[in-house]
Amino acid sequence: MFTTLLLPTVVTTAFSPAYTTTPRLKPLNAVGIFYSTTTGNTETIAGYIQEATGLDEIYDIGSVEASTFTGFDGMICGAPTWHTGADEQRSGTSWDDVLYGWMQEADLSGKTIAIFGVGDQGSYAENFCDAAGELYDVLTERGAKVIGFTSTDGYDHDDSKAIRDGMFCGLMCDEDNQYDLSAERASTWISKLKADGMPF
Ligand SMILES: Cc1cc2nc3c(=O)[nH]c(=O)nc-3n(C[C@H](O)[C@H](O)[C@H](O)COP(=O)(O)O)c2cc1C
């Protein structure tokens, strides 16, 4: 009786397949989320994006090697703006060193990139999320295709260097004035990125 009860367990183990989990259909490193921050707001938005995508990790751009960045097929890149009105190095975070450091040697041809900016349209209405436009310029110069443009409707700013052909060149968030809209904006944007071909 004792032997009979044990037998099914032994048989099951002996004939188990070599793997026990469902094989992944996508490469492990298809899409990476990269951000930099001074007071934490851009990290908050990166967190909303991580939640909407289900990706395991978010990367501080100041703490990664070039090869980590370029190892992804798609990148979601976020920056705040601190250097108001500057022509270059508008973010005031690690992005400034990265964009004019190792990024200048990076080959981003074939990469799909989406950009998010974080700023304050109330106090900096003439320069809302300017650094996002700089990311767009540098990353497209390196050969990347940028997707995920959004409408400027629903914002109250006067000007922004992140506008291309009448649209924001990515998702813009404002944790100072519209923090209650950010999570929903991020979730809607990720759905759009999926439809537009971000290789999740
Ligand atoms: C001195 C200073 C300059 C700023 N300049 C701008 C600006 O030019 N454009 C903008 O949209 N926001 C500007 N901001 C607002 C920040 O970008 C905003 O608070 C952002 O959420 C900060 O993100 P972080 O916490 O990720 O660093 C500025 C804030 C300060 C205090």
Side-chain angles (χ1 to χ4, degrees), residues 20-180:
T20 54
T21 54
T22 309
R24 290 181 67 98
L25 298 176
K26 298 247 178 196
L28 279 170
N29 55 348
V31 178
I33 304 169
F34 298 88
Y35 74 97
S36 193
T37 186
T38 297
T39 59
N41 292 336
T42 309
E43 187 173 12
T44 297
I45 306 301
Y48 293 148
I49 290 169
Q50 182 185 19
E51 207 176 311
T53 57
L55 291 171
D56 292 339
E57 215 170 331
I58 57 175
Y59 298 89
D60 180 336
I61 192 69
S63 304
V64 298
E65 305 277 335
S67 57
T68 301
F69 185 82
T70 56
F72 288 92
D73 301 320
M75 301 82 152
I76 301 176
C77 301
T81 298
W82 285 89
H83 291 161
T84 312
D87 286 335
E88 281 192 353
Q89 307 201 338
R90 297 175 197 150
S91 179
T93 68
S94 307
W95 276 112
D96 297 345
D97 292 336
V98 167
L99 291 180
Y100 300 98
W102 58 255
M103 195 66 79
Q104 292 294 319
E105 308 297 324
D107 177 8
L108 301 183
S109 50
K111 306 291 185 186
T112 303
I113 289 186
I115 295 166
F116 63 102
V118 184
D120 174 350
Q121 66 202 289
S123 302
Y124 303 92
E126 291 287 342
N127 297 94
F128 181 50
C129 290
D130 279 0
E134 187 177 10
L135 261 62
Y136 176 88
D137 291 339
V138 173
L139 298 174
T140 53
E141 261 168 35
R142 303 308 318 146
K145 175 187 172 193
V146 174
I147 64 168
F149 281 41
T150 63
S151 169
T152 57
D153 293 348
Y155 300 85
D156 187 16
H157 62 288
D158 295 324
D159 205 0
S160 170
K161 293 187 178 75
I163 293 176
R164 298 288 178 282
D165 296 328
M167 295 187 82
F168 284 131
C169 62
L171 170 71
M172 302 306 141
C173 288
D174 185 339
E175 288 293 280
D176 295 284
N177 305 287
Q178 296 180 329
Y179 63 89
D180 49 335

